[in-house]
Amino acid sequence: MALWCLFLLGLIMPIYSQVSQCAWEDFNLIQAQGYEIQCVDGGGTFAVGYTPCMSYALCSGSRYQAVFFDRFSGVCQYYLAAWDDGETAPKFRYNRDGDDKYTWTFEYRNGQTCENGDERLFEVVWKCNEQAIPFSTATVCSYDSDTN
């Protein structure tokens, strides 16, 4: 019986551990975990798939937090970020440039290296919207094509 309880505890602990790492001081994404957020590029052919607080998106046989993929074939072009168990903490900012919103910006630098050998930077900005209950996955996407 004790062995069975230890086995069940082993199954539960990784799930709890992953969720608990999805919170930083006054900001958490626990309720967003498990959702896939997609942003389509301007041409409509490619998209970014992002899964908050977990590596779910598939690329070359491995799972990552964010990938850049062909929407029609489903083929991953490269991965943008790997989930790092919450080590990348968000930077809190107040946007004074018009909308007076608070933002939390995650800057991931653990994606696949660019073709020219440069480091890939993937930023995710969460904007405070007090009307979104409990959160909204409405997205505004942009990317720098020079970093492909």
Side-chain angles (χ1 to χ4, degrees), residues 104-115:
W104 288 265
T105 302
F106 291 87
E107 295 177 352
Y108 294 98
R109 296 180 183 276
N110 62 359
Q112 189 171 336
T113 305
C114 296
E115 289 178 11

Side-chain angles (χ1 to χ4, degrees), residues 6 9 27 83 93-94 96 102 108 115 122 129 148:
L6 285 175
L9 185 61
F27 182 71
W83 173 237
R93 296 184 175 114
Y94 177 70
R96 298 172 197 238
Y102 294 99
Y108 294 98
E115 289 178 11
F122 177 66
N129 179 349
N148 291 334

Side-chain angles (χ1 to χ4, degrees), residues 5-100:
C5 289
L6 285 175
F7 175 73
L8 287 176
L9 185 61
L11 290 176
I12 294 169
M13 288 301 286
I15 294 169
Y16 176 76
S17 171
Q18 188 172 9
V19 171
S20 67
Q21 296 298 322
C22 199
W24 303 263
E25 294 182 26
D26 62 346
F27 182 71
N28 79 66
L29 291 172
I30 292 170
Q31 293 180 324
Q33 189 175 29
Y35 285 86
E36 180 180 12
I37 300 168
Q38 290 190 7
C39 296
V40 179
D41 74 350
T45 303
F46 296 98
V48 171
Y50 166 64
T51 54
C53 302
M54 63 188 303
S55 287
Y56 180 75
L58 193 61
C59 189
S60 301
S62 296
R63 298 207 177 267
Y64 297 97
Q65 182 176 17
V67 298
F68 187 77
F69 66 97
D70 183 308
R71 291 182 53 228
F72 300 105
S73 69
V75 174
C76 176
Q77 304 299 302
Y78 49 84
Y79 67 92
L80 296 164
W83 173 237
D84 59 8
D85 295 322
E87 287 182 32
T88 300
K91 295 177 182 176
F92 177 75
R93 296 184 175 114
Y94 177 70
N95 183 8
R96 298 172 197 238
D97 295 334
D99 64 4
D100 292 330

